[in-house]
Amino acid sequence: MESLTTNTDVRLTVTRCFRTLKSSTDSSDIITALRTLHSYLDEGPDSTATSAERAEFRRAHYSSALQLLVSNIQADWLHQLTAAQRAELWDGLFLAGPPEQALLVLMDAIGELRPTSNLDHVVSITEKFLQRGRLAELLWSYCLEAAPSDSQQLRETLLGRISALPDITANKLQLNNRALFRPQQYYPLLATEMLTALEHTCQALRGSVLAVMAPRLSACTRSDMVWQRVCWKLLENVPQRWMETVLTGLVQAVSGPDALGRIIGNLVVTNKKAQFVITHKLLLLQYKYETRVLRIILGYLAADRDRRPLLIQVLRSVSQAWANSSAVKHTPLEQQLYVSKALLLSVSLLKDSEIQELRSELLQCMLGGMQTHLDSNVVRIRHMGMVIGEYLSSRMDINGTKLKFEYDQDEETRELLSLLAPGACDEPEAEPVNRADGPQETAESAQNASQTTSGAQALKTDPDSDLDSDDELTPYDMSGDQEISKASPPRYLRDCLEILISSEDPVRVELALKAAESLVRKNSFAAREISVQMSKVLLHMDDKYNINGFLYLRQATMVALTVTDCIPVAHYLTTEFYSLNYSLRQRLDILEVLALAAQELSKPVTEKKAASISSATTAESTPYLGDNPVHWQQVVEKRIQSKTKRLTKKVNQPVTKATPNRYAPVAGHFFFPLLKNYDKPQVTFDLLGSDHLVLGRLIHTLGLFMHLAVNAPIAAQMGCALLDFVWAVRYHADQMVRRGVLFAVCSVFLSMPSQNLLVDISDQLFETRSWLADVAEGDPDADCRSLAVQSLVLLDKSLKKQLQDPQAPTVET
């Protein structure tokens, strides 16, 4: 009965105040009404309202009072108040009541008011609301046992307003937005207020449990069970739709798996959404995180007995993803590297007993995944397969044998290998203060070190030592000496050929191979007589004597022969490319030699090599490019840069003498023979089938030939033939083949005359442009997307230039 009377009295008083604010023009009545409303918010000893009346006002009338003030923000009585009265009575109502109701009314007002001084007034109050720590009070009110009575809908609305405050204010205020509302200042403020609320929570809880926990806290200073319980409860109550965002931020912010475990506990065991995010989404669906995030997630799963089954589940999922042939072909390299790291870390955290239980699954993953990775023509993917294959075989210990591959370590392989060592990703553990053997060991170590130092000094200063006096003499510098060889290098090209064919002496063969290129370039007449025969010998030659720089020396000589006697050697090499009983390595060597020879022929004669390369040192320092086709793609980028106009100051350039292009007359002999028989599978060679490594390199080579044929009369014919060839494999599953196709298309648009694009391939231009747009948007490989964009830009420039030329030939002409 008393409660009903209180509610009625408060409602009647508030109604009278509302009526006064709406209709009265007397400033004294307005001030009295505002002070009456304030009395329900004051909790000091001078307050005239009882606690029950204050509670009723906060529950049922506070929001209505604030909404009334906002709706009458243009009233005359508000402008009759002094600045001090307005700040105390009008602004103070927003800053003294329940913070959640005040924030909602302020945010609604900002969204509804038009850009006037009234909006500026509300924005200023909102700024004061944040500056006075009202957000911390709001969060703390929901941490108390007597939490405000609200609905789920109200709580969701409140959370949305708090999180989206920068967006709401930016959309409304635009250029007049306040600095405090911007994300760079607001979100750190919000984080500080959250920490303040948590501090209040921990202080409140410590009052009852600190006496029980004090002995344990004294022994384990890094374990604060109050904070752990608070954090676990906090994470359990996170809404499901926000769980991913919270966990993603946590795993990036914590210092290690132990810290993550103390904060979220076994949340992944009890919460399905958290389990999906931690064990699946952050490991298999996203790959933008650093390696330390993987260490933290997997270390967290392995650290607790209840969570360890999830580590086994993760290992199964990651191993299946790593061994999936479709994923290897169609996912970005960065994601494959991310999954490889997750697989290595998962296996490294398993015990030997768990490895034996999963032996069959790991063996299937190793065999299938290694086959898929080693079949790829991307070097990085092959290296991933080699590293993981070696480690899995060592952990499973199959019949005591371990796989071992030969590969050059790069940054990626070194990073993968570093994952096998225990990671120091957690905060450093405190060193024990008291150790039984600590001082004794330290003293002994210092004594041993002192004895060692004194002994070493005695050896240096003792005049009676047994050291031989000759040792004090300065040694003679012999670093520049060369070993005298009984054999001498050949002086004639035919002698060099004879040695390479019949000699079994490793020294003579090495000398002949080193001298071959120089002899070819010095005597072009003799080289033309035996060019094809010598090319055949070099193509079939093996490094059976382990000669330093063998691959480079052989390749340089074959390039010199091709440049010296272009048509016969090019005809021989292009014919042998499709012949039987050649290894894939030999076919790749043919393509590399042809590409290097074409590049040399396309350069001016004045840029020819000044001297032949005949020393083993030069051969060792020059990288062999046979396994790296990526450098060919740089040609396109250089050509695009050369066609880009830039406004700069004129600089006097030296006059370059015009020289004939030696490649243009013979371009067809390099290009067209390689387009024959590509669709006829041989006994040992299937270009359109399993040998996609050679297919990708072939398309790269043809694209390079096309690029070098710019301004050549045969360029238009080459461009049409190349587009017809690559059109059939434009959707190839292997990314290196797709890169080659796009490189070739880019070369066509760079080198083919623009008028021929409209005349010769007008029927294909629309479909080609549509295909390039699809690749630029949806191809999983970043290089393919980049090349597609470049091709689109080049095509549009060529067509625009041609269509703007009034004298250009059209399709009809």
Side-chain angles (χ1 to χ4, degrees):
M1 186 66 180
E2 181 180 357
S3 175
L4 181 60
T5 303
T6 301
N7 295 346
T8 303
D9 293 342
V10 172
R11 184 171 65 254
L12 292 175
T13 303
V14 170
T15 301
R16 285 196 297 269
C17 292
F18 285 1
R19 187 180 301 112
T20 300
L21 294 175
K22 291 179 181 180
S23 58
S24 178
T25 58
D26 188 352
S27 59
S28 60
D29 293 340
I30 296 295
I31 293 175
T32 301
L34 292 175
R35 292 190 184 281
T36 301
L37 296 177
H38 263 284
S39 66
Y40 289 112
L41 298 177
D42 297 336
E43 298 182 359
D46 297 335
S47 176
T48 58
T50 63
S51 58
E53 290 175 340
R54 291 196 298 268
E56 175 62 17
F57 176 79
R58 289 169 176 266
R59 184 190 67 82
H61 304 288
Y62 180 67
S63 291
S64 300
L66 297 184
Q67 292 170 357
L68 175 65
L69 294 181
V70 172
S71 63
N72 288 271
I73 197 172
Q74 297 179 348
D76 294 334
W77 59 261
L78 177 59
H79 299 282
Q80 295 173 1
L81 299 176
T82 64
Q85 290 174 335
R86 188 184 303 117
E88 175 191 359
L89 300 177
W90 206 93
D91 299 357
L93 280 174
F94 290 89
L95 302 175
E100 69 280 355
Q101 299 181 43
L103 179 63
L104 291 177
V105 173
L106 288 172
M107 298 307 297
D108 290 342
I110 291 176
E112 294 174 359
L113 292 176
R114 295 180 179 181
T116 59
S117 59
N118 298 326
L119 176 61
D120 295 338
H121 189 186
V122 174
V123 170
S124 299
I125 296 176
T126 308
E127 195 171 19
K128 293 178 183 179
F129 182 92
L130 298 177
Q131 292 172 342
R132 296 188 181 184
R134 298 289 286 162
L135 271 181
E137 296 178 18
L138 189 156
L139 298 172
W140 167 240
S141 66
Y142 278 84
C143 296
L144 296 173
E145 290 184 6
S149 59
D150 61 351
S151 63
Q152 183 66 27
Q153 183 179 2
L154 176 61
R155 183 170 298 198
E156 291 291 331
T157 303
L158 183 61
L159 290 174
R161 294 291 191 277
I162 294 175
S163 61
L165 187 145
D167 297 332
I168 296 173
T169 55
N171 291 335
K172 184 66 177 182
L173 304 178
Q174 298 181 0
L175 297 179
N176 297 321
N177 198 11
R178 304 293 176 91
L180 185 60
F181 299 156
R182 293 173 181 170
Q184 295 83 354
Q185 294 189 25
Y186 173 75
Y187 288 119
L189 172 66
L190 178 59
T192 304
E193 304 291 71
M194 292 173 64
L195 289 174
T196 302
L198 288 176
E199 184 66 31
H200 291 331
T201 303
C202 291
Q203 289 175 357
L205 292 176
R206 281 195 180 99
S208 59
V209 301
L210 187 58
V212 179
M213 296 179 57
R216 181 62 179 170
L217 288 174
S218 62
C220 304
T221 55
R222 299 180 68 247
S223 297
D224 191 332
M225 296 304 298
V226 173
W227 270 102
Q228 291 185 18
R229 295 292 299 175
V230 169
C231 293
W232 296 352
K233 190 68 176 177
L234 177 67
L235 267 296
E236 289 175 2
N237 291 328
V238 170
Q240 292 298 303
R241 64 188 181 91
W242 288 9
M243 183 65 71
E244 179 182 348
T245 304
V246 173
L247 290 180
T248 302
L250 270 177
V251 297
Q252 296 179 82
V254 297
S255 57
D258 292 341
L260 183 63
R262 293 195 299 269
I263 293 174
I264 70 174
N266 286 340
L267 184 67
V268 292
V269 180
T270 59
N271 190 297
K272 293 298 182 183
K273 181 60 179 276
Q275 183 180 127
F276 172 76
V277 172
I278 291 292
T279 64
H280 188 78
K281 192 158 190 177
L282 294 180
L283 298 178
L284 295 176
L285 301 183
Q286 297 178 350
Y287 54 93
K288 61 183 178 182
Y289 304 108
E290 300 176 352
T291 305
R292 63 178 297 273
V293 173
L294 286 174
R295 285 187 181 273
I296 289 172
I297 293 175
L298 297 172
Y300 161 74
L301 296 177
D304 187 84
R305 180 178 59 185
D306 295 333
R307 301 192 295 261
R308 200 161 184 89
L310 295 178
L311 178 64
I312 306 297
Q313 174 185 329
V314 165
L315 175 62
R316 289 192 172 100
S317 302
V318 171
S319 61
Q320 291 174 3
W322 184 80
N324 191 317
S325 59
S326 178
V328 173
K329 293 178 181 178
H330 298 102
T331 56
L333 278 172
E334 294 76 12
Q335 184 172 5
Q336 297 183 44
L337 179 62
Y338 190 80
V339 172
S340 299
K341 293 177 184 178
L343 178 57
L344 282 177
L345 287 172
S346 302
V347 177
S348 66
L349 292 171
L350 293 181
K351 303 175 182 177
D352 292 338
S353 58
E354 295 171 331
I355 289 287
Q356 295 303 320
E357 294 177 2
L358 298 170
R359 184 187 180 96
S360 60
E361 297 179 43
L362 290 177
L363 181 61
Q364 182 179 0
C365 166
M366 183 184 72
L367 297 179
M370 279 179 52
Q371 181 66 35
T372 301
H373 282 73
L374 295 180
D375 282 347
S376 174
N377 56 13
V378 181
V379 178
R380 294 170 60 186
I381 295 180
R382 294 203 298 270
H383 285 176
M384 293 178 204
M386 294 175 186
V387 173
I388 293 182
E390 288 180 352
Y391 182 64
L392 290 180
S393 66
S394 65
R395 285 302 308 269
M396 289 187 291
D397 192 18
I398 304 173
N399 299 325
T401 59
K402 299 179 181 179
L403 293 176
K404 186 64 179 177
F405 297 96
E406 294 183 2
Y407 53 88
D408 296 329
Q409 290 194 8
D410 53 17
E411 184 178 353
E412 284 186 1
T413 56
R414 284 191 291 269
E415 183 181 8
L416 289 174
L417 293 173
S418 68
L419 300 179
L420 306 180
C425 62
D426 208 354
E427 60 264 37
E429 297 287 345
E431 292 291 336
V433 178
N434 297 322
R435 291 177 56 184
D437 54 350
Q440 182 180 358
E441 290 183 356
T442 305
E444 292 178 356
S445 301
Q447 182 179 0
N448 293 337
S450 176
Q451 292 176 357
T452 304
T453 305
S454 61
Q457 292 176 351
L459 288 176
K460 292 182 180 179
T461 59
D462 187 4
D464 298 329
S465 70
D466 295 334
L467 292 177
D468 192 349
S469 59
D470 291 343
D471 292 344
E472 298 178 0
L473 298 177
T474 302
Y476 185 75
D477 185 10
M478 304 178 63
S479 60
D481 291 0
Q482 296 181 356
E483 183 180 355
I484 300 178
S485 175
K486 297 180 180 179
S488 58
R491 300 172 57 188
Y492 298 97
L493 192 56
R494 287 192 177 274
D495 293 340
C496 180
L497 177 61
E498 187 64 28
I499 293 173
L500 295 179
I501 293 176
S502 58
S503 178
E504 297 293 337
D505 185 357
V507 177
R508 294 187 65 200
V509 173
E510 183 175 2
L511 291 174
L513 192 59
K514 291 179 178 179
E517 182 194 3
S518 176
L519 294 175
V520 170
R521 295 186 183 276
K522 287 180 179 178
N523 195 340
S524 58
F525 180 78
R528 291 190 182 96
E529 292 182 347
I530 60 171
S531 58
V532 175
Q533 183 182 6
M534 193 167 188
S535 298
K536 181 177 181 180
V537 172
L538 291 170
L539 181 61
H540 292 81
M541 189 176 181
D542 294 327
D543 187 17
K544 59 182 179 180
Y545 301 121
N546 196 22
I547 298 174
N548 291 331
F550 169 81
L551 293 176
Y552 174 77
L553 293 171
R554 185 187 67 156
Q555 183 186 81
T557 306
M558 295 179 69
V559 171
L561 289 167
T562 309
V563 171
T564 303
D565 197 14
C566 298
I567 297 178
V569 177
H571 181 266
Y572 166 74
L573 293 177
T574 53
T575 302
E576 295 302 301
F577 179 78
Y578 288 108
S579 299
L580 298 176
N581 300 324
Y582 276 95
S583 65
L584 297 182
R585 176 71 269 169
Q586 288 173 307
R587 301 183 198 275
L588 294 176
D589 288 340
I590 291 174
L591 294 177
E592 188 70 21
V593 168
L594 291 171
L596 293 174
Q599 287 177 323
E600 183 175 342
L601 288 171
S602 65
K603 296 178 181 178
V605 179
T606 55
E607 296 184 8
K608 289 178 62 178
K609 296 181 180 179
S612 61
I613 302 174
S614 57
S615 64
T617 304
T618 306
E620 292 175 7
S621 63
T622 305
Y624 175 64
L625 301 178
D627 292 326
N628 185 20
V630 179
H631 66 285
W632 297 346
Q633 299 178 12
Q634 299 173 359
V635 178
V636 174
E637 189 65 30
K638 292 180 180 179
R639 182 67 187 283
I640 293 175
Q641 294 297 329
S642 67
K643 284 198 169 190
T644 303
K645 294 182 179 180
R646 293 179 174 84
L647 298 178
T648 58
K649 294 182 178 180
K650 184 176 181 180
V651 180
N652 294 328
Q653 299 289 343
V655 179
T656 303
K657 183 180 179 181
T659 57
N661 187 336
R662 296 176 294 161
Y663 173 71
V666 298
H669 297 279
F670 283 78
F671 182 84
F672 290 105
L674 289 178
L675 292 179
K676 295 180 180 179
N677 301 323
Y678 68 87
D679 56 347
K680 295 181 180 179
Q682 306 293 334
V683 177
T684 59
F685 185 46
D686 186 7
L687 193 62
L688 296 182
S690 59
D691 296 322
H692 46 80
L693 171 64
V694 185
L695 176 61
R697 191 71 62 85
L698 172 63
I699 298 175
H700 271 99
T701 306
L702 293 172
L704 181 64
F705 292 161
M706 183 68 226
H707 167 73
L708 298 176
V710 60
N711 298 326
I714 203 173
Q717 186 179 353
M718 292 173 61
C720 296
L722 184 57
L723 285 180
D724 289 339
F725 170 62
V726 300
W727 193 251
V729 293
R730 66 189 186 279
Y731 292 116
H732 201 280
D734 190 88
Q735 57 188 358
M736 284 301 295
V737 176
R738 298 199 306 276
R739 287 184 194 176
V741 171
L742 291 164
F743 173 75
V745 172
C746 218
S747 299
V748 171
F749 294 155
L750 276 171
S751 304
M752 193 172 178
S754 56
Q755 61 268 22
N756 291 96
L757 289 177
L758 283 176
V759 176
D760 296 339
I761 58 173
S762 58
D763 296 339
Q764 304 177 17
L765 284 182
F766 179 78
E767 191 173 359
T768 301
R769 197 181 189 287
S770 177
W771 162 67
L772 289 173
D774 292 340
V775 174
E777 182 179 358
D779 197 282
D781 184 68
D783 290 336
C784 290
R785 296 195 298 269
S786 176
L787 285 171
V789 172
Q790 293 181 9
S791 300
L792 283 171
V793 172
L794 293 172
L795 177 59
D796 290 345
K797 284 184 177 180
S798 298
L799 295 179
K800 183 178 180 181
K801 175 183 177 182
Q802 186 63 22
L803 293 174
Q804 289 178 347
D805 185 2
Q807 298 181 353
T810 62
V811 178
E812 290 78 6
T813 59

